[in-house]
Amino acid sequence: MNSRVEKQPRAIAIAMAILFAVLLVGGGLVRFATDYLWFIDLGQRNVFITVLTSKIVVSAAFMIVAFVVVFVNMRVARSMAPRAVLTSVGDIPPQFEEIVINVRARFSAVLDKALLGTSVVIALFAGLGMSAYWTQFRLAFAGVSFGETDPQFGRDLGFYVFTLPALRIVADWLLGILIVTTVVTMIVHVLDGAIQPWARFKGFAPHVKAHLSVLLGLIVASKAFDYYLDIYELNFSPRGQVAGASYTDVHAQMPALRILIGIAVLSAAILVYNLRTKGWRLPLIALGVWVGASFLVGTIYPAAVQQFRVAPNEIASEAPYIERNIAATRRAFGLDEVETREFPAAETLSAEDVIANRDTLDNVRLWDPAVVSQSYRQLQLVRPYYDFFDVDVDRYTVDGQLRQVLVSAREMNSNNLAQQAQTWINRHLVYTHGYGLVVSPVNEADTRGYPKFVLGDIPPISASPDLALEQPAIYFGEETSDYVIVNTGQPEFDYPVGGADEQNAETTYSGAAGVKIGNILGRLAFALRFGSSQILLSPLIDNDSRVLFDRDIRVRVQKLAPWLELDADPYPIIADGRVLWVLDGYTWSDRYPYSQPFGDINYVRNSVKVTVDAYDGTTTFYAVDETDPILAAWRKVFPGLIRDGSEVPEAVRQHFRYPEGLFMTQTDVYRDYHMTDARVFYNKEDSWELPGEQAGTPMSAFYVLSRLPGEATEDFQMIMPFTPRNRDNMIGWMAAKSDPEDYGKRVVYRFPKQRVILGPEQVSARVNQDEVISPQISLWSQRGSQVIFGNMLVIPLEESIVYIQPLYLQAEQTAIPELTRVIVVYSDKIEMAPDLESALLAVFGEGPPPGTPGVPGDPLDVTAIRAQELYQQALDAQRAGDWAEYGRLIDELGGVIDALAGGGSVEATPTP
């Protein structure tokens, strides 16, 4: 009876362990099978097979080598066991004699069986973890030439980017497995009595000494290989002022490593030669010399050279290596192709110039994306279960004119459903998709100060054919983290119709995406994957139902191309009536010789653009930088995954943007690497910063639709100003073009150093101290409104710089910011007006008389003059605190501006 009671807990424990193992393994198999179906659904079965076989081959190769090395050496050790081992214990202290004899007697019977098990376990640990390095090994075999060589060793850069990382992994692994093998082999010798630790070296039989000598020789030889790789890795040394082999590395560390290679090889040879000699004296001398040399030659000597040869005149010693670093870093980050132009930053801008640049000024971004997102949520969400995850900047043709606009996708966020509506059916069968995009020009507001939408509402209403949506449903996006099941017995919610009875439109998914559930096995697999018994039991699901999962566009792309680094800001576009997401993919490396690391990388290219159809999830990769060797290597690994850049549809290409993540990295690098003279670079004489960096809030780059100085046409481009280190005045700015004709072209405009051009921080300080603006802001704040300043925009016009900053008011009782004022700063003038037109008019005055040669035909004559008069009178009334008169003048000014916009004129009205 007692024996049964004692066995019950053991049986329960065994059963629980078996159940846990089944669930663990079964869960992995279910995920494996459903992922395989997912890849098939996307037409990328070969990608799945390639990744899987790569991991298996890498793991198996290292597993087999580890098993052979460990098992063979353990068997050899076992074959050397002394015959009298169970009764002879040598010089062991008497108190341990009986214990040792008993342990040997018991262990000897199972030792042969344990060898195999131990070898398998070690091989599993040594091999399975190596699957994580499948990318390095695939690149090593698929690597291509860079067509460039490093300046120190003259080897193609492909060796460092593709081959060297794999060799380093092998070297580290080999040293580790040899050490493990030596340890377990010694344990077998000890257990067999072939080694008697208590007898010190007298307990080594000749054949045991020979065995261990060979193993130790192999360890030392592997270390020689490690030194060999260290020589090439000096190209990434951080010892000097910059990354790469420095004077000390080349003239001290490199010779030291070569000496250590020779000593290590000699030590390994002596260990092997020790097979013919007695004792360990010779190997110990060799190993002592090696260890001493490692310290003296490998550490002390280079440190002495650095301290006494380099440090006294570092710039003279390091100049050639700094020049290597500058050249390599500029190439690695694509800065060697940056065009530099001088920019006078003159203060000669006239009203005529302002009129000539009307297209640029009509596209100044007065709506800050971070601010307008609140307005979008209040004005265009329609229902609480929708959400705008992000607001992006793009350009579209509106009313026949190319306009810069803000775009956001109205996605479904089922987490925002009412608590009682958070049912499994609602989350996964009914509320399956978002609906439509919202688009508004960057510089327009309605009479309430809210964004003026050219695409919005549900169903979508478009003000331009280019913005027309034929398929507005969004099943794949930035917030679509839940799985959904389509083609079920439950109609899907499409969009709210409204009306007195709050009706909703319903739909059935007609796209090709989704994994077909099929029979009961399919149901069971997805029920286990998502931990949902409803998939297995729901009568609404049939054999034709399909599961859409991994709908997050970043997750989707990352599964297909785990070797790509994705930009943090995907954006939606409208192409041929459909919503597509565009993602920027980077190929990168941290193994570009002499290039300075920024973050974890020292080489990057925006070599891939990816589109994801928001309705059917079709994911397409395009090579947009086909000269990139890393992309070329990956295309060999995954043939057919990445299409040629020439296959990009024109409707998609028109909306490609230079990615912000790459641009910010390049501007970060360029702060120092615009200096190409080694001495100037060493002294950081002309180091730059990003505006606001000293205050801890560096300025963000921004997109503009403008004409660069000296160019004839407008371009959609990204801009970032620079300031000198530890100063706030502006020293230059970089622009990166996005339009197809000049995509990726970057231009840096450098300001004259002979005079000070105010930077964004200084201009902001002037605005806050202005005698008109500051009291007005205080007055608004006292009335319970929150004053929000938008981004300070640096707009180049002709050969001058104009600063433009929007100002928003947000009442305490509402979360809708209103575009209330626009501030324009130029030279010594600061003006704030209800709109950009009025502010520019106040700063630059009226335009030239009608018929002036060379001036665009927009007549501003009497109408423009009257607008200026009204604006100045309104400012006078504001200063005097006469708010009734101020309001009347502003209303009249609005009529004048409407007349200007319509091309008409107004007669002057006497001021009462």
Side-chain angles (χ1 to χ4, degrees):
M1 183 68 178
N2 290 337
S3 62
R4 290 185 179 179
V5 173
E6 291 176 358
K7 290 180 179 178
Q8 280 183 349
R10 183 183 299 177
I12 293 173
I14 293 173
M16 292 296 292
I18 292 173
L19 178 61
F20 177 77
V22 168
L23 290 176
L24 188 65
V25 175
L29 290 175
V30 164
R31 177 168 287 275
F32 175 85
T34 51
D35 274 345
Y36 177 67
L37 296 174
W38 183 88
F39 276 88
I40 291 176
D41 176 50
L42 269 70
Q44 299 295 350
R45 175 182 175 274
N46 288 340
V47 172
F48 182 88
I49 297 299
T50 299
V51 173
L52 178 63
T53 54
S54 298
K55 291 180 178 180
I56 291 174
V57 169
V58 169
S59 288
F62 284 95
M63 214 177 292
I64 291 169
V65 173
F67 177 82
V68 170
V69 171
V70 173
F71 184 73
V72 167
N73 279 280
M74 291 175 73
R75 287 300 307 168
V76 170
R78 182 68 175 138
S79 68
M80 295 179 179
R83 296 179 181 178
V85 70
L86 296 181
T87 58
S88 177
V89 295
D91 297 332
I92 187 171
Q95 60 267 33
F96 298 113
E97 182 174 340
E98 185 177 353
I99 296 174
V100 172
I101 291 175
N102 291 335
V103 169
R104 287 179 180 172
R106 291 187 178 185
F107 191 75
S108 181
V110 298
L111 184 56
D112 288 329
K113 297 178 182 178
L115 297 184
L116 180 61
T118 302
S119 301
V120 169
V121 170
I122 292 174
L124 285 173
F125 277 101
L128 289 178
M130 300 304 292
S131 65
Y133 300 106
W134 70 271
T135 54
Q136 287 89 335
F137 288 104
R138 288 307 304 248
L139 281 180
F141 286 104
V144 300
S145 170
F146 265 68
E148 304 172 46
T149 58
D150 76 285
Q152 181 59 44
F153 301 105
R155 300 201 66 155
D156 188 273
L157 300 190
F159 168 76
Y160 300 94
V161 173
F162 301 125
T163 308
L164 188 57
L167 292 177
R168 169 54 64 192
I169 293 169
V170 171
D172 292 344
W173 181 88
L174 183 60
L175 180 61
I177 199 64
L178 287 174
I179 292 173
V180 170
T181 301
T182 303
V183 171
V184 297
T185 300
M186 289 183 69
I187 291 173
V188 173
H189 281 307
V190 170
L191 292 173
D192 275 339
I195 296 178
Q196 299 178 13
W198 47 86
R200 301 180 185 175
F201 291 107
K202 293 185 293 183
F204 283 80
H207 51 280
V208 174
K209 187 191 73 168
H211 188 190
L212 294 180
S213 295
V214 171
L215 286 174
L216 291 173
L218 290 173
I219 290 174
V220 176
S222 73
K223 191 59 184 173
F225 180 55
D226 189 71
Y227 289 141
Y228 173 75
L229 298 182
D230 285 344
I231 291 176
Y232 289 108
E233 289 180 342
L234 290 176
N235 273 336
F236 318 115
S237 169
R239 171 181 270 126
Q241 282 289 314
V242 292
S246 63
Y247 179 93
T248 300
D249 291 317
V250 173
H251 294 88
Q253 194 68 58
M254 192 184 303
L257 287 170
R258 286 172 175 159
I259 291 171
L260 289 174
I261 291 174
I263 294 175
V265 171
L266 180 61
S267 299
I270 291 173
L271 281 164
V272 175
Y273 178 75
N274 196 46
L275 298 174
R276 300 188 176 188
T277 63
K278 294 181 179 181
W280 291 90
R281 184 175 180 180
L282 191 60
L284 286 176
I285 292 174
L287 291 175
V289 171
W290 174 38
V291 172
S294 298
F295 179 69
L296 293 174
V297 178
T299 303
I300 298 298
Y301 173 62
V305 171
Q306 180 70 28
Q307 181 67 30
F308 301 109
R309 169 65 179 83
V310 176
N313 190 12
E314 191 172 36
I315 179 59
S317 300
E318 298 289 5
Y321 308 102
I322 292 175
E323 290 174 355
R324 293 178 179 183
N325 172 268
I326 292 172
T329 303
R330 288 171 62 91
R331 286 195 305 271
F333 288 95
L335 297 175
D336 56 326
E337 299 174 352
V338 171
E339 179 183 351
T340 303
R341 301 176 185 174
E342 298 302 318
F343 188 78
E347 296 181 351
T348 56
L349 203 62
S350 65
E352 295 97 320
D353 296 323
V354 172
I355 295 170
N357 287 274
R358 180 174 295 275
D359 288 342
T360 295
L361 295 170
D362 283 346
N363 284 288
V364 170
R365 197 191 71 198
L366 300 181
W367 283 107
D368 189 322
V371 174
V372 82
S373 61
Q374 303 176 54
S375 303
Y376 278 19
R377 289 188 176 96
Q378 293 294 320
L379 301 173
Q380 284 289 331
L381 271 187
V382 183
R383 292 290 188 272
Y385 37 74
Y386 289 126
D387 194 15
F388 294 108
F389 181 78
D390 187 24
V391 178
D392 294 293
V393 183
D394 204 345
R395 66 283 199 201
Y396 286 89
T397 300
V398 180
D399 296 329
Q401 183 180 5
L402 188 63
R403 301 292 302 276
Q404 187 178 187
V405 298
L406 299 171
V407 185
S408 189
R410 188 186 290 107
E411 296 191 60
M412 174 65 66
N413 187 342
S414 55
N415 292 323
N416 292 339
L417 288 168
Q419 189 60 42
Q420 64 272 20
Q422 294 272 349
T423 65
W424 181 84
I425 290 178
N426 279 344
R427 290 180 64 93
H428 302 290
L429 272 63
V430 178
Y431 293 94
T432 56
H433 59 279
Y435 205 83
L437 301 182
V438 171
V439 180
S440 63
V442 295
N443 68 326
E444 291 188 24
D446 61 18
T447 55
R448 301 167 296 174
Y450 297 161
K452 187 175 181 181
F453 297 105
V454 292
L455 175 63
D457 300 330
I458 297 179
I461 299 175
S462 168
S464 170
D466 282 8
L467 297 172
L469 280 176
E470 297 176 8
Q471 181 48 267
I474 299 175
Y475 284 83
F476 300 85
E478 294 183 88
E479 283 194 290
T480 49
S481 56
D482 257 350
Y483 71 91
V484 297
I485 304 176
V486 296
N487 303 138
T488 67
Q490 173 66 51
E492 299 173 54
F493 166 80
D494 200 19
Y495 60 87
V497 176
D501 53 356
E502 291 293 324
Q503 292 183 348
N504 294 325
E506 295 179 336
T507 188
T508 298
Y509 184 69
S510 59
V515 177
K516 198 171 182 180
I517 289 181
N519 56 25
I520 189 66
L521 288 178
R523 284 193 177 209
L524 179 60
F526 285 108
L528 288 172
R529 170 158 187 155
F530 299 118
S532 174
S533 60
Q534 292 92 334
I535 296 178
L536 189 62
L537 303 174
S538 175
L540 297 173
I541 299 174
D542 57 35
N543 290 348
D544 294 324
S545 299
R546 283 179 283 159
V547 184
L548 277 60
F549 62 101
D550 287 337
R551 297 188 298 140
D552 183 307
I553 53 176
R554 291 180 58 84
V555 172
R556 200 171 184 82
V557 173
Q558 206 71 71
K559 282 185 70 172
L560 288 170
W563 42 272
L564 273 181
E565 186 71 25
L566 297 180
D567 190 80
D569 189 24
Y571 56 97
I573 66 169
I574 301 172
D576 299 324
R578 300 179 72 88
V579 177
L580 300 180
W581 293 95
V582 178
L583 300 90
D584 287 283
Y586 304 127
T587 45
W588 60 275
S589 177
D590 58 358
R591 301 279 89 184
Y592 194 97
Y594 272 102
S595 176
Q596 193 71 25
F598 283 79
D600 296 327
I601 64 172
N602 70 355
Y603 172 93
V604 65
R605 291 290 185 270
N606 175 213
S607 53
V608 178
K609 300 273 189 184
V610 189
T611 63
V612 181
D613 191 294
Y615 185 71
D616 63 22
T618 300
T619 305
T620 310
F621 294 76
Y622 297 102
V624 292
D625 183 358
E626 300 187 42
T627 63
D628 175 37
I630 297 180
L631 176 62
W634 281 119
R635 294 185 80 177
K636 289 172 66 177
V637 176
F638 296 104
L641 175 64
I642 302 171
R643 300 185 182 183
D644 292 339
S646 59
E647 297 182 39
V648 178
E650 194 59 31
V652 174
R653 191 186 300 276
Q654 291 295 330
H655 294 283
F656 280 168
R657 306 185 316 189
Y658 198 84
E660 183 177 357
L662 176 61
F663 187 72
M664 291 301 294
T665 298
Q666 289 176 326
T667 54
D668 190 28
V669 176
Y670 199 76
R671 293 180 308 167
D672 287 331
Y673 284 87
H674 66 277
M675 297 179 284
T676 55
D677 180 88
R679 186 172 295 273
V680 173
F681 185 96
Y682 176 84
N683 293 316
K684 297 295 186 288
E685 296 176 14
D686 192 23
S687 186
W688 294 352
E689 289 179 345
L690 305 182
E693 190 168 354
Q694 294 182 62
T697 55
M699 183 177 184
S700 297
F702 54 92
Y703 290 103
V704 297
L705 183 58
S706 66
R707 178 169 55 87
L708 287 178
E711 299 195 359
T713 59
E714 283 187 314
D715 285 288
F716 185 68
Q717 53 204 305
M718 179 164 269
I719 284 181
M720 170 59 81
F722 293 105
T723 62
R725 182 167 56 91
N726 296 327
R727 294 167 59 194
D728 290 327
N729 59 288
M730 198 155 67
I731 194 66
W733 52 280
M734 179 186 286
K737 296 187 177 184
S738 295
D739 289 341
E741 297 78 11
D742 291 315
Y743 181 87
K745 181 180 179 181
R746 281 143 299 144
V747 182
V748 169
Y749 291 86
R750 302 173 66 111
F751 294 176
K753 297 180 181 180
Q754 295 78 16
R755 59 192 181 89
V756 173
I757 292 90
L758 295 185
E761 294 291 301
Q762 294 169 319
V763 172
S764 293
R766 286 187 61 196
V767 169
N768 290 330
Q769 297 167 6
D770 185 78
E771 62 181 9
V772 175
I773 297 175
S774 182
Q776 180 64 72
I777 291 173
S778 299
L779 181 62
W780 279 322
S781 299
Q782 291 168 6
R783 291 182 176 180
S785 295
Q786 179 185 1
V787 179
I788 304 171
F789 283 96
N791 289 340
M792 177 69 72
L793 303 176
V794 183
I795 307 298
L797 291 181
E798 300 298 334
E799 295 183 341
S800 301
I801 289 292
V802 178
Y803 290 93
I804 299 175
Q805 185 173 35
L807 187 148
Y808 316 94
L809 287 185
Q810 183 172 307
E812 289 183 348
Q813 62 272 21
T814 178
I816 309 179
E818 301 174 13
L819 178 59
T820 303
R821 294 291 186 272
V822 179
I823 300 169
V824 173
V825 181
Y826 174 72
S827 185
D828 60 347
K829 299 177 182 178
I830 302 177
E831 296 293 346
M832 182 174 73
D835 53 55
L836 178 58
E837 188 87 17
S838 303
L840 289 170
L841 193 60
V843 170
F844 295 102
E846 72 275 11
T852 301
V855 176
D858 241 356
L860 298 177
D861 47 13
V862 179
T863 307
I865 295 171
R866 178 58 182 156
Q868 186 181 21
E869 291 174 352
L870 287 170
Y871 179 67
Q872 293 296 338
Q873 293 169 10
L875 289 181
D876 293 339
Q878 183 187 51
R879 293 186 180 97
D882 188 350
W883 298 107
E885 176 65 5
Y886 174 80
R888 187 194 68 77
L889 290 168
I890 290 298
D891 289 341
E892 185 175 347
L893 179 61
V896 173
I897 292 172
D898 289 341
L900 279 170
S905 61
V906 296
E907 296 182 1
T909 303
T911 303

